């Protein structure tokens, strides 16, 4: 799963084809401990071209009757994303990309049995596959919509910490991911390659969502 992640302004992402989004990516508000229901920046297309939009984490489909559904829709499993009722409509028509500076997963300490957070990151930004929905009447009037992050089996350094991880999209496939037919989009997910990443243990202060400072990224132990 992916239950917390980090976003920072993206000043250099190395792909000229995203030059149209460069100003918006450079203005992403820094957040060092994003948790479900909080707002994050995602790349999507509302039918007027690519844009960076601030959405609440935890997908609320149009039929949702309670905001509490966000507690179970902040991740969508690759195995069921195309068929599960909460996600299938968005998978057909409303896909997005979630930029990350990294994300957190937890292991159980051999010393005291408590949860130790690890920060998993790459040399540059990570781009997670996601889905989005339009503004929900269950949220504040100024909300622009909701999103979820698609997850699959872990591999690489992440597999040593948790059995699930976000599914990554290569930036060269951004337009295809946003607009492809569902079968082609699924093929992209299944063919996703895991970027080279590293992980280190960080403070247990990450365990409390209200803690949100750059200091959380400092290695411990």
């Amino acid at each position: 799963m992916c239950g917390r992640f980090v976003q920072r302004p993206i000043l250099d992402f190395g792909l000229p084809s995203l030059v149209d989004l460069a100003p918006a990516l450079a203005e992403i508000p820094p957040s060092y401990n994003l948790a479900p229901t909080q707002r994050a920046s995602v790349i999507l297309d509302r039918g007027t071209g690519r844009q960076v939009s601030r959405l609440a984490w935890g997908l609320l489909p149009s039929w949702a009757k309670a905001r509490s559904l966000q507690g179970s829709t902040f991740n969508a499993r690759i195995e069921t994303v195309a068929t599960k009722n909460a996600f299938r409509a968005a998978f057909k028509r409303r896909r997005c990309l979630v930029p990350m500076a990294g994300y957190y997963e937890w292991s159980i300490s051999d010393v005291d049995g408590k949860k130790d957070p690890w920060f998993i990151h790459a040399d540059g930004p990570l781009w997670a596959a996601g889905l989005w929905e339009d503004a929900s009447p269950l949220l504040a009037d100024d909300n622009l919509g909701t999103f979820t992050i698609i997850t699959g089996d872990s591999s690489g350094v992440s597999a040593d910490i948790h059995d699930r991880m976000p599914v990554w999209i290569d930036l060269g496939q951004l337009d295809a991911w946003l607009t492809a037919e569902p079968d082609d989009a699924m093929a992209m997910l299944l063919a996703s390659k895991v970027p080279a990443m590293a992980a280190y243990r960080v403070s247990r202060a990450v365990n409390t969502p209200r803690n949100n400072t750059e200091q959380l990224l400092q290695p411990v132990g």
Side-chain angles (χ1 to χ4, degrees), residues 76-84 87 91 150-154 163-165 167 186 189-190:
R77 296 175 66 92
I78 188 174
E79 296 89 347
T80 56
V81 67
T83 58
K84 192 170 182 177
F87 305 124
F91 184 73
I150 300 174
T151 66
D153 290 336
S154 282
D163 62 352
R164 305 289 294 185
M165 70 185 303
V167 179
M186 179 56 68
L189 295 178
L190 295 173

PDB file of all heavy atoms in Angstrom, residues 76-84 87 91 150-154 163-165 167 186 189-190:
ATOM      1  N   ALA A  76      -5.810   1.902  -4.822  1.00  0.00           N
ATOM      2  CA  ALA A  76      -6.576   1.007  -5.692  1.00  0.00           C
ATOM      3  C   ALA A  76      -5.633  -0.100  -6.154  1.00  0.00           C
ATOM      4  O   ALA A  76      -4.574   0.192  -6.723  1.00  0.00           O
ATOM      5  CB  ALA A  76      -7.139   1.759  -6.890  1.00  0.00           C
ATOM      6  N   ARG A  77      -5.971  -1.330  -5.908  1.00  0.00           N
ATOM      7  CA  ARG A  77      -5.106  -2.444  -6.284  1.00  0.00           C
ATOM      8  C   ARG A  77      -5.145  -2.673  -7.789  1.00  0.00           C
ATOM      9  O   ARG A  77      -6.237  -2.681  -8.392  1.00  0.00           O
ATOM     10  CB  ARG A  77      -5.528  -3.720  -5.545  1.00  0.00           C
ATOM     11  CG  ARG A  77      -5.373  -3.642  -4.036  1.00  0.00           C
ATOM     12  CD  ARG A  77      -5.930  -4.888  -3.346  1.00  0.00           C
ATOM     13  NE  ARG A  77      -5.168  -6.071  -3.686  1.00  0.00           N
ATOM     14  CZ  ARG A  77      -4.127  -6.528  -2.976  1.00  0.00           C
ATOM     15  NH1 ARG A  77      -3.736  -5.883  -1.883  1.00  0.00           N
ATOM     16  NH2 ARG A  77      -3.476  -7.602  -3.351  1.00  0.00           N
ATOM     17  N   ILE A  78      -3.986  -2.877  -8.396  1.00  0.00           N
ATOM     18  CA  ILE A  78      -3.921  -3.121  -9.827  1.00  0.00           C
ATOM     19  C   ILE A  78      -4.766  -4.329 -10.220  1.00  0.00           C
ATOM     20  O   ILE A  78      -5.350  -4.376 -11.303  1.00  0.00           O
ATOM     21  CB  ILE A  78      -2.452  -3.310 -10.288  1.00  0.00           C
ATOM     22  CG1 ILE A  78      -2.366  -3.363 -11.815  1.00  0.00           C
ATOM     23  CG2 ILE A  78      -1.819  -4.517  -9.644  1.00  0.00           C
ATOM     24  CD1 ILE A  78      -0.929  -3.414 -12.329  1.00  0.00           C
ATOM     25  N   GLU A  79      -4.876  -5.295  -9.320  1.00  0.00           N
ATOM     26  CA  GLU A  79      -5.604  -6.523  -9.624  1.00  0.00           C
ATOM     27  C   GLU A  79      -7.104  -6.286  -9.802  1.00  0.00           C
ATOM     28  O   GLU A  79      -7.780  -7.055 -10.503  1.00  0.00           O
ATOM     29  CB  GLU A  79      -5.387  -7.556  -8.505  1.00  0.00           C
ATOM     30  CG  GLU A  79      -3.948  -8.020  -8.345  1.00  0.00           C
ATOM     31  CD  GLU A  79      -3.146  -7.147  -7.390  1.00  0.00           C
ATOM     32  OE1 GLU A  79      -3.620  -6.032  -7.025  1.00  0.00           O
ATOM     33  OE2 GLU A  79      -2.038  -7.550  -7.000  1.00  0.00           O
ATOM     34  N   THR A  80      -7.652  -5.237  -9.177  1.00  0.00           N
ATOM     35  CA  THR A  80      -9.103  -5.019  -9.211  1.00  0.00           C
ATOM     36  C   THR A  80      -9.493  -3.602  -9.641  1.00  0.00           C
ATOM     37  O   THR A  80     -10.675  -3.269  -9.649  1.00  0.00           O
ATOM     38  CB  THR A  80      -9.716  -5.297  -7.822  1.00  0.00           C
ATOM     39  OG1 THR A  80      -9.067  -4.478  -6.836  1.00  0.00           O
ATOM     40  CG2 THR A  80      -9.548  -6.761  -7.443  1.00  0.00           C
ATOM     41  N   VAL A  81      -8.518  -2.762 -10.024  1.00  0.00           N
ATOM     42  CA  VAL A  81      -8.820  -1.369 -10.314  1.00  0.00           C
ATOM     43  C   VAL A  81      -9.798  -1.213 -11.480  1.00  0.00           C
ATOM     44  O   VAL A  81     -10.591  -0.262 -11.519  1.00  0.00           O
ATOM     45  CB  VAL A  81      -7.514  -0.587 -10.580  1.00  0.00           C
ATOM     46  CG1 VAL A  81      -6.842  -1.052 -11.866  1.00  0.00           C
ATOM     47  CG2 VAL A  81      -7.782   0.911 -10.629  1.00  0.00           C
ATOM     48  N   ALA A  82      -9.766  -2.150 -12.433  1.00  0.00           N
ATOM     49  CA  ALA A  82     -10.636  -2.031 -13.604  1.00  0.00           C
ATOM     50  C   ALA A  82     -12.032  -2.585 -13.359  1.00  0.00           C
ATOM     51  O   ALA A  82     -12.931  -2.364 -14.182  1.00  0.00           O
ATOM     52  CB  ALA A  82     -10.007  -2.740 -14.802  1.00  0.00           C
ATOM     53  N   THR A  83     -12.235  -3.284 -12.243  1.00  0.00           N
ATOM     54  CA  THR A  83     -13.518  -3.947 -12.014  1.00  0.00           C
ATOM     55  C   THR A  83     -14.212  -3.532 -10.722  1.00  0.00           C
ATOM     56  O   THR A  83     -15.432  -3.639 -10.629  1.00  0.00           O
ATOM     57  CB  THR A  83     -13.324  -5.473 -11.990  1.00  0.00           C
ATOM     58  OG1 THR A  83     -12.379  -5.821 -10.969  1.00  0.00           O
ATOM     59  CG2 THR A  83     -12.829  -5.976 -13.336  1.00  0.00           C
ATOM     60  N   LYS A  84     -13.476  -3.087  -9.740  1.00  0.00           N
ATOM     61  CA  LYS A  84     -14.085  -2.723  -8.454  1.00  0.00           C
ATOM     62  C   LYS A  84     -14.986  -1.514  -8.617  1.00  0.00           C
ATOM     63  O   LYS A  84     -14.643  -0.535  -9.295  1.00  0.00           O
ATOM     64  CB  LYS A  84     -12.999  -2.449  -7.419  1.00  0.00           C
ATOM     65  CG  LYS A  84     -13.527  -2.342  -5.998  1.00  0.00           C
ATOM     66  CD  LYS A  84     -12.390  -2.303  -4.985  1.00  0.00           C
ATOM     67  CE  LYS A  84     -12.944  -2.238  -3.575  1.00  0.00           C
ATOM     68  NZ  LYS A  84     -11.856  -2.260  -2.561  1.00  0.00           N
ATOM     69  N   PHE A  87     -13.772   2.128  -8.380  1.00  0.00           N
ATOM     70  CA  PHE A  87     -12.711   2.616  -9.258  1.00  0.00           C
ATOM     71  C   PHE A  87     -12.966   2.438 -10.755  1.00  0.00           C
ATOM     72  O   PHE A  87     -12.318   3.107 -11.560  1.00  0.00           O
ATOM     73  CB  PHE A  87     -11.397   1.907  -8.913  1.00  0.00           C
ATOM     74  CG  PHE A  87     -10.987   2.023  -7.474  1.00  0.00           C
ATOM     75  CD1 PHE A  87     -10.745   0.883  -6.719  1.00  0.00           C
ATOM     76  CD2 PHE A  87     -10.850   3.262  -6.871  1.00  0.00           C
ATOM     77  CE1 PHE A  87     -10.369   0.992  -5.393  1.00  0.00           C
ATOM     78  CE2 PHE A  87     -10.469   3.372  -5.542  1.00  0.00           C
ATOM     79  CZ  PHE A  87     -10.224   2.231  -4.799  1.00  0.00           C
ATOM     80  N   PHE A  91     -11.235   4.491 -13.821  1.00  0.00           N
ATOM     81  CA  PHE A  91     -10.178   3.841 -14.596  1.00  0.00           C
ATOM     82  C   PHE A  91     -10.434   3.974 -16.097  1.00  0.00           C
ATOM     83  O   PHE A  91      -9.498   4.095 -16.887  1.00  0.00           O
ATOM     84  CB  PHE A  91     -10.061   2.368 -14.214  1.00  0.00           C
ATOM     85  CG  PHE A  91      -8.932   1.668 -14.904  1.00  0.00           C
ATOM     86  CD1 PHE A  91      -7.625   1.908 -14.536  1.00  0.00           C
ATOM     87  CD2 PHE A  91      -9.174   0.788 -15.948  1.00  0.00           C
ATOM     88  CE1 PHE A  91      -6.573   1.283 -15.192  1.00  0.00           C
ATOM     89  CE2 PHE A  91      -8.130   0.157 -16.607  1.00  0.00           C
ATOM     90  CZ  PHE A  91      -6.828   0.405 -16.224  1.00  0.00           C
ATOM     91  N   ILE A 150      -2.705   3.918  -7.490  1.00  0.00           N
ATOM     92  CA  ILE A 150      -2.758   2.504  -7.864  1.00  0.00           C
ATOM     93  C   ILE A 150      -1.516   1.793  -7.330  1.00  0.00           C
ATOM     94  O   ILE A 150      -0.396   2.294  -7.475  1.00  0.00           O
ATOM     95  CB  ILE A 150      -2.865   2.342  -9.386  1.00  0.00           C
ATOM     96  CG1 ILE A 150      -4.138   3.042  -9.895  1.00  0.00           C
ATOM     97  CG2 ILE A 150      -2.874   0.862  -9.778  1.00  0.00           C
ATOM     98  CD1 ILE A 150      -4.259   3.066 -11.410  1.00  0.00           C
ATOM     99  N   THR A 151      -1.714   0.635  -6.711  1.00  0.00           N
ATOM    100  CA  THR A 151      -0.599  -0.121  -6.138  1.00  0.00           C
ATOM    101  C   THR A 151      -0.522  -1.521  -6.743  1.00  0.00           C
ATOM    102  O   THR A 151      -1.510  -2.070  -7.225  1.00  0.00           O
ATOM    103  CB  THR A 151      -0.730  -0.255  -4.610  1.00  0.00           C
ATOM    104  OG1 THR A 151      -1.874  -1.063  -4.292  1.00  0.00           O
ATOM    105  CG2 THR A 151      -0.868   1.109  -3.947  1.00  0.00           C
ATOM    106  N   GLY A 152       0.685  -2.075  -6.691  1.00  0.00           N
ATOM    107  CA  GLY A 152       0.932  -3.442  -7.147  1.00  0.00           C
ATOM    108  C   GLY A 152       1.940  -4.105  -6.235  1.00  0.00           C
ATOM    109  O   GLY A 152       2.310  -3.562  -5.180  1.00  0.00           O
ATOM    110  N   ASP A 153       2.429  -5.270  -6.630  1.00  0.00           N
ATOM    111  CA  ASP A 153       3.418  -5.984  -5.825  1.00  0.00           C
ATOM    112  C   ASP A 153       4.718  -5.193  -5.764  1.00  0.00           C
ATOM    113  O   ASP A 153       5.151  -4.590  -6.750  1.00  0.00           O
ATOM    114  CB  ASP A 153       3.699  -7.364  -6.426  1.00  0.00           C
ATOM    115  CG  ASP A 153       2.519  -8.311  -6.280  1.00  0.00           C
ATOM    116  OD1 ASP A 153       1.700  -8.103  -5.365  1.00  0.00           O
ATOM    117  OD2 ASP A 153       2.430  -9.264  -7.087  1.00  0.00           O
ATOM    118  N   SER A 154       5.355  -5.234  -4.614  1.00  0.00           N
ATOM    119  CA  SER A 154       6.634  -4.551  -4.442  1.00  0.00           C
ATOM    120  C   SER A 154       7.752  -5.298  -5.137  1.00  0.00           C
ATOM    121  O   SER A 154       7.710  -6.521  -5.305  1.00  0.00           O
ATOM    122  CB  SER A 154       6.983  -4.426  -2.950  1.00  0.00           C
ATOM    123  OG  SER A 154       6.260  -3.399  -2.340  1.00  0.00           O
ATOM    124  N   ASP A 163       4.949  -5.413   1.084  1.00  0.00           N
ATOM    125  CA  ASP A 163       4.660  -6.229  -0.100  1.00  0.00           C
ATOM    126  C   ASP A 163       3.901  -5.488  -1.194  1.00  0.00           C
ATOM    127  O   ASP A 163       3.644  -6.040  -2.259  1.00  0.00           O
ATOM    128  CB  ASP A 163       3.896  -7.497   0.293  1.00  0.00           C
ATOM    129  CG  ASP A 163       2.542  -7.201   0.919  1.00  0.00           C
ATOM    130  OD1 ASP A 163       2.248  -6.015   1.198  1.00  0.00           O
ATOM    131  OD2 ASP A 163       1.779  -8.151   1.152  1.00  0.00           O
ATOM    132  N   ARG A 164       3.540  -4.216  -0.955  1.00  0.00           N
ATOM    133  CA  ARG A 164       2.859  -3.408  -1.963  1.00  0.00           C
ATOM    134  C   ARG A 164       3.605  -2.107  -2.164  1.00  0.00           C
ATOM    135  O   ARG A 164       4.279  -1.602  -1.261  1.00  0.00           O
ATOM    136  CB  ARG A 164       1.416  -3.089  -1.544  1.00  0.00           C
ATOM    137  CG  ARG A 164       0.545  -4.275  -1.203  1.00  0.00           C
ATOM    138  CD  ARG A 164       0.163  -5.091  -2.406  1.00  0.00           C
ATOM    139  NE  ARG A 164      -0.706  -4.373  -3.347  1.00  0.00           N
ATOM    140  CZ  ARG A 164      -1.224  -4.946  -4.424  1.00  0.00           C
ATOM    141  NH1 ARG A 164      -0.939  -6.229  -4.701  1.00  0.00           N
ATOM    142  NH2 ARG A 164      -2.004  -4.266  -5.241  1.00  0.00           N
ATOM    143  N   MET A 165       3.460  -1.538  -3.359  1.00  0.00           N
ATOM    144  CA  MET A 165       4.056  -0.242  -3.661  1.00  0.00           C
ATOM    145  C   MET A 165       3.249   0.425  -4.761  1.00  0.00           C
ATOM    146  O   MET A 165       2.473  -0.233  -5.472  1.00  0.00           O
ATOM    147  CB  MET A 165       5.517  -0.412  -4.103  1.00  0.00           C
ATOM    148  CG  MET A 165       5.671  -1.065  -5.470  1.00  0.00           C
ATOM    149  SD  MET A 165       7.398  -1.400  -5.937  1.00  0.00           S
ATOM    150  CE  MET A 165       8.093   0.236  -5.829  1.00  0.00           C
ATOM    151  N   VAL A 167       2.337   1.864  -8.396  1.00  0.00           N
ATOM    152  CA  VAL A 167       2.721   1.510  -9.768  1.00  0.00           C
ATOM    153  C   VAL A 167       3.202   2.790 -10.434  1.00  0.00           C
ATOM    154  O   VAL A 167       2.514   3.818 -10.404  1.00  0.00           O
ATOM    155  CB  VAL A 167       1.534   0.906 -10.540  1.00  0.00           C
ATOM    156  CG1 VAL A 167       1.957   0.571 -11.965  1.00  0.00           C
ATOM    157  CG2 VAL A 167       1.018  -0.339  -9.827  1.00  0.00           C
ATOM    158  N   MET A 186      -4.273  -0.654 -18.858  1.00  0.00           N
ATOM    159  CA  MET A 186      -3.905  -1.795 -18.030  1.00  0.00           C
ATOM    160  C   MET A 186      -2.589  -2.399 -18.496  1.00  0.00           C
ATOM    161  O   MET A 186      -1.744  -2.800 -17.681  1.00  0.00           O
ATOM    162  CB  MET A 186      -5.014  -2.844 -18.053  1.00  0.00           C
ATOM    163  CG  MET A 186      -4.705  -4.104 -17.225  1.00  0.00           C
ATOM    164  SD  MET A 186      -4.319  -3.751 -15.471  1.00  0.00           S
ATOM    165  CE  MET A 186      -5.925  -3.169 -14.882  1.00  0.00           C
ATOM    166  N   LEU A 189       0.182  -0.445 -17.015  1.00  0.00           N
ATOM    167  CA  LEU A 189       0.404  -0.757 -15.603  1.00  0.00           C
ATOM    168  C   LEU A 189       1.174  -2.068 -15.453  1.00  0.00           C
ATOM    169  O   LEU A 189       2.115  -2.163 -14.651  1.00  0.00           O
ATOM    170  CB  LEU A 189      -0.927  -0.857 -14.861  1.00  0.00           C
ATOM    171  CG  LEU A 189      -1.768   0.420 -14.738  1.00  0.00           C
ATOM    172  CD1 LEU A 189      -3.068   0.110 -14.003  1.00  0.00           C
ATOM    173  CD2 LEU A 189      -0.999   1.513 -14.009  1.00  0.00           C
ATOM    174  N   LEU A 190       0.778  -3.072 -16.209  1.00  0.00           N
ATOM    175  CA  LEU A 190       1.401  -4.389 -16.092  1.00  0.00           C
ATOM    176  C   LEU A 190       2.850  -4.380 -16.568  1.00  0.00           C
ATOM    177  O   LEU A 190       3.665  -5.183 -16.117  1.00  0.00           O
ATOM    178  CB  LEU A 190       0.593  -5.424 -16.870  1.00  0.00           C
ATOM    179  CG  LEU A 190      -0.821  -5.691 -16.333  1.00  0.00           C
ATOM    180  CD1 LEU A 190      -1.591  -6.612 -17.277  1.00  0.00           C
ATOM    181  CD2 LEU A 190      -0.763  -6.295 -14.931  1.00  0.00           C
TER     182      LEU A 190
END
